[in-house]
Amino acid sequence: MTTPVPCYHCALPVPSGSRFTAIVLGETREFCCPGCQAVAHAIVAGGLESYYQHRSEASANPDALPVQLLEELALYDRADVQKPFVRHDGEQAETTLLIEGISCAACGWLIEKHLRLLPAVSEARLNLSNHRLHVRWADSQLPLSELLSELRHIGYAAHPYQADRATEQLASENRLALRQLGVAGLLWFQAMMATMATWPEFNIDLSPEMHTILRWVALFLTTPIVFYSCAPFFKGAMRDLRTRHLTMDVSVSLAIGGAYIAGIWTAITGMGELYFDAVGMFALFLLAGRYLERRARERTAAATAQLVNLLPASCLRLSDDGQSERILLTELKVGDHVLAHPGAILPADGKILDGQSSIDESLLTGEYLPQPRSVGDAVTAGTLNVDGALTIEVLALGQDTRLSAIVRLLDRAQSEKPRLAEVADKAAQWFLLFSLIAAAAIGLLWWQLDPSRAFWIVLAMLVATCPCALSLATPTALTAATGTLHKLGLLLTRGHVIEGLNQIDTVIFDKTGTLTEGRLALRAIRPLRDLDSDHCLGLAAALENRSEHPIARAFGRAPLAASEVLSTAGLGLEGRVGEQRLRIGQAGFVCEISQSPVPDMPQEPGQWLLLGDEHGPLAWFVLDDRLRADAPALLAACKARGWRTLLLSGDTSPMVASVAAELGIDEARGGLRPDDKLHVLQQLHAQGRKVLMLGDGVNDVPVLAAADISVAMGSATDLAKTSADAVLLSNRLEALVQAFTLARRTRRVIIENLLWAGLYNGLMLPFAALGWITPVWAAVGMSISSLTVVLNALRLTRMPKPVSPQTTLDTHPLPA
């Protein structure tokens, strides 16, 4: 039986008799289907043919994977490694894998079809919603490493799925909260219709028997709402009473419980009013707010757990005789020597013993340019080795690494964040205490005057003073404003942002990826000999196109081809273009091949690279990270409001000072670590300043979490986004200027809502105590009060007009 030819594009077997071919890299290639053929034609026509030349052997040949990857996959065949995530049942093994690279339903079909064709696999099911693959197979016939290799062959990376306990707990609670909210919403509508049908206003030709049936139907529908959906309120009230701490759970539980008991009495005796619709309404409003809060906490926990996944699963440990052995990261010990090849993630904090390379530390510093490192230099877990092989002595593991220190800083900063909810909770406690004491006192008084009315008056007071409108005053306004800001491209993840923007007097900016675009661009070419700029650019691009360094992307496609290209870590590249030997990089490195003096570097700011050949320097190239076009407008808005501005960056280059000077920033500091930035923020807080932080990297996470208001860019890391109070999804800084205006409007609406809710409760309490308001009218009044608050908040859904920052600020000046 002949082995089928693999498709040159996707590596799947080419069916016999297939006639799908194309010319790629000068040869006729076979493809499995017209789709792969069309993609190959498009790649070649677009001048991207080098994709096939440089792609890994794993993509071109399904029988060959990189040796490093095979060694890592082989670790999964060990019984001790499989124990946490593989279940064995006789000869059958069962596990759940997390699949990377899934983009559509066709990916799921391909994965399942490919695995089911393997004789050892008895079951393969992929959940497209969470990308988890459930596999059952005979591991004696097919080792787990080969199963993972099969997935690699078709272009998907698979990892054992082991759920984080905290994340799973939050997800489980979230599902329960969603079910409780759904039950309350569904049954409330039905109970409301049954209850309203018993009202005298709607009681048209309703027989006594039907009246009784509707009362019992409403009771039947409301009971699941009380005992299932409202269970969190009753549990919270019991907990708070045991700890002698009054919260809204106590008042809500009393109102819901009282209304439910009164409804049961009415259903049985036919005397009084039904309050089952009020019970459902309370539950629906309050459960919706708690569900949204829970979802925000769930996202934060998931992103924090994801930070641990930045470390590699395995590493190469060197023995005393210099032999390398691939081991799991959990087997690594302090003092071990590890070998890090180019492109490898460093597994631990350590010190370089041998070799030199460039290290991509964007994880910690936020800067995209790799930094040169050589013997004796310290390196950090989670960073990327770019150029050369390194031998590293392990100095710190696990909780002692710098990466873990960032997580601890995050936890500490979040615990120190001021919570406006605490102030509101204290005010609510006094209001609830007064309401409960007043209800008890009035109830005793009416028991002496007219016992038949005492219960109904107390119930009317509890319903009338239930802080429904008061609790909706702020959330509804914030929800409306949040939706408006979302349309502008600013997503709020914390409720205190809009109110907090009115108190800000200091703004901290990160540089790279925040005020700048976060990527290098070629700004100018300065020829030094008789070659023109275009020719010099072609020579430089020919060398840089053979490099994986971030600088190389700034040179674009090369019209020429380079050969014998060698990279010297931290210095530059050397190679041949035709018969010409060239170097590009640091000036001293380039001038070595011609033994010519180093030319003077231009004084303009930027990243300067020299191109030269055996006869001397050819041209200077300057690369720079460009400012965002709307950065000046944002800084102008901050200045006009009298805010103090600071630029805190991990960049050590003169770019920090030049950006600050160009934008008119008050103070700029470069070369800062995450804890340094947090220290600056703590100093500002000690001075009594309210700080807004705008950043985008993991290195900004502690400051984002500790700032009074924090905004992450839409291109930020997942952890930065979930640690921030708002995310600028559009990456348009002018959206913040519009947020400043909307924050003022929102504050005004919140004050109006609170005044109305307070006035309503203040008026209804004495009227209910005098018996002038029945419980049913108290419920109607509470509903009207809540509706008024909601309608007032909906005015914030109108999009603010795009006006210049100066006009807005002249109209609404802020004190410094």
Side-chain angles (χ1 to χ4, degrees):
M1 181 177 179
T2 59
T3 303
V5 177
C7 172
Y8 189 71
H9 181 72
C10 71
L12 286 176
V14 174
S16 59
S18 175
R19 293 295 182 268
F20 302 112
T21 61
I23 304 296
V24 181
L25 296 176
E27 297 183 20
T28 300
R29 313 291 183 174
E30 294 190 38
F31 300 91
C32 63
C33 64
C36 288
Q37 182 190 41
V39 171
H41 276 304
I43 290 175
V44 174
L48 304 175
E49 199 172 10
S50 58
Y51 160 76
Y52 290 109
Q53 185 176 359
H54 297 298
R55 68 179 179 175
S56 66
E57 289 299 318
S59 300
N61 184 357
D63 297 320
L65 289 174
V67 175
Q68 177 180 344
L69 178 60
L70 290 174
E71 291 177 350
E72 183 169 323
L73 294 180
L75 293 173
Y76 289 113
D77 293 336
R78 290 168 39 180
D80 58 328
V81 176
Q82 291 186 9
K83 186 176 181 180
F85 63 91
V86 178
R87 298 170 295 280
H88 292 274
D89 182 13
E91 296 184 356
Q92 293 288 309
E94 191 175 0
T95 190
T96 301
L97 303 174
L98 191 63
I99 309 297
E100 293 182 7
I102 294 177
S103 59
C104 62
C107 296
W109 173 85
L110 175 61
I111 291 171
E112 292 180 351
K113 179 176 182 294
H114 185 80
L115 292 183
R116 288 169 181 170
L117 290 176
L118 301 177
V121 176
S122 56
E123 183 180 2
R125 290 182 287 105
L126 179 68
N127 187 332
L128 283 172
S129 63
N130 54 26
H131 296 184
R132 296 176 193 169
L133 174 68
H134 179 78
V135 186
R136 185 176 178 85
W137 82 105
D139 59 346
S140 59
Q141 304 175 31
L142 184 70
L144 180 57
S145 61
E146 293 187 18
L147 183 65
L148 298 176
S149 297
E150 290 291 337
L151 290 169
R152 290 273 183 175
H153 292 331
I154 58 175
Y156 300 95
H159 310 283
Y161 172 73
Q162 293 176 270
D164 175 74
R165 183 171 299 177
T167 305
E168 282 294 294
Q169 177 66 22
L170 278 178
S172 175
E173 293 175 357
N174 176 57
R175 290 191 294 269
L176 174 61
L178 185 59
R179 287 195 297 268
Q180 291 172 332
L181 177 62
V183 168
L186 180 64
L187 296 183
W188 171 54
F189 284 108
Q190 312 303 321
M192 180 178 62
M193 289 188 291
T195 302
M196 290 177 64
T198 65
W199 291 3
E201 294 84 353
F202 298 96
N203 191 354
I204 301 175
D205 296 330
L206 189 67
S207 65
E209 293 78 9
M210 182 58 66
H211 197 284
T212 302
I213 292 174
L214 288 175
R215 291 200 305 267
W216 284 98
V217 167
L219 171 62
F220 174 76
L221 292 170
T222 307
T223 299
I225 298 178
V226 173
F227 289 99
Y228 180 70
S229 297
C230 297
F233 302 134
F234 294 112
K235 291 178 181 178
M238 292 298 296
R239 179 191 64 240
D240 295 333
L241 290 176
R242 284 196 299 267
T243 59
R244 299 179 181 180
H245 181 70
L246 277 180
T247 66
M248 281 183 58
D249 280 344
V250 176
S251 177
V252 168
S253 297
L254 286 173
I256 290 177
Y260 181 67
I261 292 173
I264 293 177
W265 171 261
T266 301
I268 295 175
T269 64
M271 299 170 57
E273 301 289 344
L274 291 173
Y275 297 99
F276 295 135
D277 55 333
V279 171
M281 184 179 64
F282 288 168
L284 189 62
F285 277 132
L286 297 175
L287 287 172
R290 295 195 178 189
Y291 173 73
L292 294 177
E293 179 187 358
R294 184 181 300 279
R295 287 300 303 269
R297 291 202 307 269
E298 182 185 18
R299 289 194 300 268
T300 301
T304 304
Q306 189 177 6
L307 186 61
V308 181
N309 297 332
L310 294 173
L311 295 178
S314 66
C315 62
L316 286 174
R317 182 173 60 187
L318 294 175
S319 60
D320 295 337
D321 58 359
Q323 298 297 315
S324 63
E325 175 193 10
R326 183 161 295 279
I327 62 170
L328 291 171
L329 190 60
T330 53
E331 299 177 276
L332 197 61
K333 298 177 182 178
V334 174
D336 286 347
H337 293 178
V338 296
L339 177 63
H341 289 296
I345 301 293
L346 302 188
D349 289 359
K351 180 178 65 176
I352 297 177
L353 300 179
D354 184 37
Q356 62 178 7
S357 182
S358 296
I359 304 297
D360 182 352
E361 298 179 340
S362 57
L363 169 71
L364 302 176
T365 66
E367 298 308 310
Y368 52 89
L369 285 179
Q371 301 299 312
R373 295 289 182 264
S374 57
V375 175
D377 290 339
V379 291
T380 305
T383 56
L384 175 67
N385 181 24
V386 177
D387 294 327
L390 296 175
T391 300
I392 300 170
E393 179 184 1
V394 176
L395 300 180
L397 288 166
Q399 295 299 316
D400 298 325
T401 61
R402 191 175 171 191
L403 187 63
S404 295
I406 291 181
V407 178
R408 289 195 296 272
L409 284 173
L410 169 63
D411 293 338
R412 188 181 71 184
Q414 285 179 334
S415 66
E416 294 174 354
K417 179 186 283 288
R419 300 289 186 185
L420 295 179
E422 295 180 1
V423 177
D425 186 51
K426 290 181 181 179
Q429 286 186 53
W430 288 105
F431 173 77
L432 292 174
L433 181 62
F434 173 77
S435 300
L436 293 175
I437 292 175
I442 296 300
L444 290 175
L445 178 61
W446 274 100
W447 185 262
Q448 301 296 325
L449 298 175
D450 188 352
S452 64
R453 300 184 61 189
F455 174 78
W456 303 108
I457 288 176
V458 170
L459 180 59
M461 291 182 65
L462 288 175
V463 173
T465 59
C466 185
C468 192
L470 195 62
S471 64
L472 286 173
T474 299
T476 50
L478 291 177
T479 300
T482 297
T484 303
L485 288 176
H486 195 185
K487 295 177 184 177
L488 295 172
L490 182 65
L491 174 65
L492 304 189
T493 60
R494 304 289 191 278
H496 71 283
V497 174
I498 298 178
E499 176 66 16
L501 282 176
N502 294 290
Q503 304 169 1
I504 294 300
D505 57 21
T506 304
V507 185
I508 295 177
F509 297 99
D510 179 44
K511 179 180 72 70
T512 306
T514 304
L515 294 177
T516 68
E517 295 181 353
R519 54 186 176 88
L520 282 178
L522 184 60
R523 194 174 67 190
I525 303 173
R526 303 290 171 79
L528 299 177
R529 297 220 310 259
D530 54 349
L531 298 181
D532 60 23
S533 297
D534 291 340
H535 194 175
C536 292
L537 177 59
L539 295 174
L543 293 177
E544 294 289 354
N545 281 186
R546 301 296 299 275
S547 172
E548 298 298 327
H549 198 283
I551 286 179
R553 292 192 289 269
F555 287 85
R557 289 179 52 202
L560 304 173
S563 60
E564 303 177 17
V565 178
L566 297 176
S567 173
T568 303
L571 296 178
L573 299 171
E574 178 181 349
R576 286 189 177 276
V577 178
E579 299 299 324
Q580 192 175 9
R581 185 183 174 201
L582 297 166
R583 280 188 179 184
I584 187 171
Q586 292 189 9
F589 169 73
V590 172
C591 292
E592 283 181 359
I593 61 171
S594 61
Q595 300 299 318
S596 58
V598 177
D600 294 333
M601 181 183 296
Q603 296 303 311
E604 300 175 31
Q607 180 84 15
W608 287 93
L609 301 177
L610 184 63
L611 174 69
D613 61 9
E614 295 167 309
H615 303 293
L618 288 171
W620 282 108
F621 295 87
V622 60
L623 296 91
D624 209 347
D625 189 7
R626 293 180 294 191
L627 281 176
R628 293 186 184 274
D630 47 8
L634 176 59
L635 266 296
C638 295
K639 284 293 184 183
R641 289 174 175 263
W643 292 351
R644 180 183 175 189
T645 53
L646 293 89
L647 177 60
L648 305 182
S649 176
D651 190 0
T652 58
S653 73
M655 274 291 293
V656 178
S658 64
V659 168
E662 184 173 351
L663 294 175
I665 295 176
D666 297 330
E667 183 180 349
R669 304 185 190 181
L672 299 182
R673 298 174 301 179
D675 48 344
D676 296 328
K677 293 184 179 183
L678 184 59
H679 181 65
V680 173
L681 176 64
Q682 291 169 341
Q683 289 179 332
L684 293 171
H685 278 161
Q687 299 170 11
R689 289 189 168 272
K690 299 295 184 181
V691 182
L692 167 68
M693 170 66 188
L694 182 63
D696 75 324
V698 174
N699 61 309
D700 298 319
V701 164
V703 190
L704 288 170
D708 298 280
I709 303 292
S710 55
V711 181
M713 302 298 291
S715 55
T717 61
D718 288 342
L719 187 63
K721 290 178 183 178
T722 52
S723 300
D725 301 319
V727 179
L728 201 58
L729 296 175
S730 64
N731 282 324
R732 295 186 303 108
L733 297 178
E734 63 262 29
L736 285 178
V737 180
Q738 293 175 290
F740 299 155
T741 303
L742 187 62
R744 287 189 171 280
R745 291 177 52 202
T746 304
R747 184 182 187 182
R748 185 168 61 249
V749 168
I750 289 175
I751 292 175
E752 292 170 356
N753 283 350
L754 290 174
L755 288 176
W756 165 255
L759 180 64
Y760 163 79
N761 282 326
L763 291 176
M764 292 291 283
L765 184 61
F767 291 160
L770 291 173
W772 294 354
I773 298 177
T774 63
V776 65
W777 284 111
V780 171
M782 185 206 60
S783 301
I784 294 175
S785 176
S786 301
L787 183 61
T788 302
V789 166
V790 172
L791 292 177
N792 189 40
L794 289 179
R795 295 191 297 121
L796 294 170
T797 58
R798 294 197 299 265
M799 295 282 287
K801 295 181 180 179
V803 295
S804 66
Q806 188 62 44
T807 302
T808 302
L809 298 171
D810 288 342
T811 307
H812 304 286
L814 270 181

